[in-house]
Amino acid sequence: MDQDQTVTPQFEANGDVRVPAFTLPISRLVSEEAAAAQRLRATVPPVDTTGIDAAPLRRQQINAYMAPSIAKLRETFAVEIEAKTIGGVPVLDVTPSDGGHDPDRVLINLHGGAFTVGWDGVALVETIPMAVLAGMRVVSVDYRMAPEHRHPAAIEDVAAVYAGLLQDYAPGRIGIYGGSAGGVLTAQTAAWLAAHGLPQAGAIGVFGAGGVPFEAGESAYVTGYIDGAFPPPPADGSAPPDITKGYFNGIDADDPSAWPAYHLDVLARFPPTLIITGTRSIDLSPAIYTNSQLIKAGVRSTLIVGESMGHCYYYNLALPEARDAYDAIVAFFRENLN
């Protein structure tokens, strides 16, 4: 479609901007693989979530969707996966099959899935490659989710697993990471540990998320129209649908245990942090804001923004951009878990 070069944004007196329709071309800065993936999206029908309200059904569907990716990952990365319990919480303990992982360092994974789904399909996508690429044991937590549970149930479960691992690992050698809801939960956990008398972890990775709600910044609007993975907030200014199915019901919008990036005193107790997002990701604004706040609080924070990348793009290891992200993640944890 031809672009009308005479059309410009309209700026309203209240600060709103009326954005004209435009065509966004494929970035010339992305890999050929990423460009091909974007062209392929024209053949993919939109996801229809109508009527999918039953938690067990949603969880089954997510796991079925992830199954082909997991099978492919297991062909590429040889791992041992053991279901066990740590601190009274179910976990998956993932290690490289060759047994050559670092005996002194461990990673805790917090899976994505909007605090409602993701166990164990998303968890395996996030842990299988990490265990092999990092050469570390990865413990993925089956934390409590909505609609059955409410905040801070998930953090309590993560803290219990963390306390259990402290029996075998020094806190500075424990890393915590997660994508999407798991990225939010990672930031929440760093705030929780410091506030509840537990020694801080050595480093954290907040991927596809930040320490504030997804809809807090303008990226929710922009990426809603250029990416489509998540719909933009309602045009009438009403609250967007709650994808967490009530997980944060009753929690104050400024609660530091839920949204630590609003509080510099809380962030000041964070360990070194790696944040990963993309220019087409709903979490771009939360990630940028959280990184800026961490730096303001005096914490070492590194922000990686993938050009033209969507939400949790690092899941797709067929993309060079995703492989670059994993290289950065592995290097970050190896450097900071001392």
Side-chain angles (χ1 to χ4, degrees), residues 59-77:
R59 291 164 187 165
Q60 290 170 13
Q61 290 178 329
I62 289 294
N63 282 352
Y65 177 78
M66 290 294 185
S69 295
I70 294 169
K72 193 168 185 178
L73 287 172
R74 298 208 68 171
E75 291 176 359
T76 306
F77 302 101

Side-chain angles (χ1 to χ4, degrees), residues 71-89:
K72 193 168 185 178
L73 287 172
R74 298 208 68 171
E75 291 176 359
T76 306
F77 302 101
V79 294
E80 300 299 325
I81 302 172
E82 182 181 359
K84 60 174 62 173
T85 299
I86 299 177
V89 179

Side-chain angles (χ1 to χ4, degrees), residues 23-293:
T23 299
L24 179 65
I26 293 177
S27 172
R28 290 180 293 174
L29 303 178
V30 300
S31 66
E32 284 297 324
E33 292 89 340
Q38 289 186 6
R39 287 189 288 268
L40 184 63
R41 292 189 66 175
T43 67
V44 178
V47 176
D48 180 10
T49 58
T50 303
I52 307 177
D53 288 329
L57 177 58
R58 288 201 314 275
R59 291 164 187 165
Q60 290 170 13
Q61 290 178 329
I62 289 294
N63 282 352
Y65 177 78
M66 290 294 185
S69 295
I70 294 169
K72 193 168 185 178
L73 287 172
R74 298 208 68 171
E75 291 176 359
T76 306
F77 302 101
V79 294
E80 300 299 325
I81 302 172
E82 182 181 359
K84 60 174 62 173
T85 299
I86 299 177
V89 179
V91 302
L92 290 179
D93 199 332
V94 184
T95 54
S97 292
D98 64 10
H101 59 278
D102 188 327
D104 299 318
R105 295 186 281 192
V106 64
L107 297 174
I108 298 175
N109 165 254
L110 309 179
H111 68 82
F115 290 96
T116 65
V117 298
W119 187 263
D120 55 7
V122 178
L124 289 172
V125 167
E126 295 188 10
T127 55
I128 291 172
M130 185 68 79
V132 173
L133 293 173
M136 296 183 193
R137 175 189 182 192
V138 182
V139 176
S140 190
V141 182
D142 184 9
Y143 57 83
R144 286 170 289 169
M145 299 183 287
E148 298 91 345
H149 303 282
R150 299 286 181 270
H151 174 83
I155 310 176
E156 292 171 345
D157 290 343
V158 179
V161 172
Y162 180 80
L165 289 173
L166 285 174
Q167 298 178 27
D168 300 310
Y169 299 91
R173 293 181 174 240
I174 301 176
I176 307 173
Y177 76 96
S180 195
V184 173
L185 183 54
T186 296
Q188 292 172 343
T189 299
W192 184 272
L193 296 179
H196 288 79
L198 286 166
Q200 188 57 270
I204 62 170
V206 178
F207 310 145
V212 296
F214 284 117
E215 67 274 10
E218 64 184 31
S219 63
Y221 290 86
V222 176
T223 64
Y225 291 107
I226 67 173
D227 181 73
F230 296 89
D236 61 6
S238 60
D242 180 11
I243 62 173
T244 73
K245 304 299 180 183
Y247 181 75
F248 293 103
N249 280 0
I251 302 301
D252 188 272
D254 197 35
D255 188 324
S257 73
W259 312 118
Y262 290 135
H263 305 273
L264 292 179
D265 59 327
V266 174
L267 293 181
R269 303 173 73 179
F270 271 44
T273 302
L274 175 63
I275 302 173
I276 297 180
T277 185
T279 61
R280 293 192 179 191
S281 178
I282 186 176
D283 49 85
L284 175 61
S285 290
I288 291 171
Y289 180 79
T290 302
N291 178 70
S292 297
Q293 289 288 91

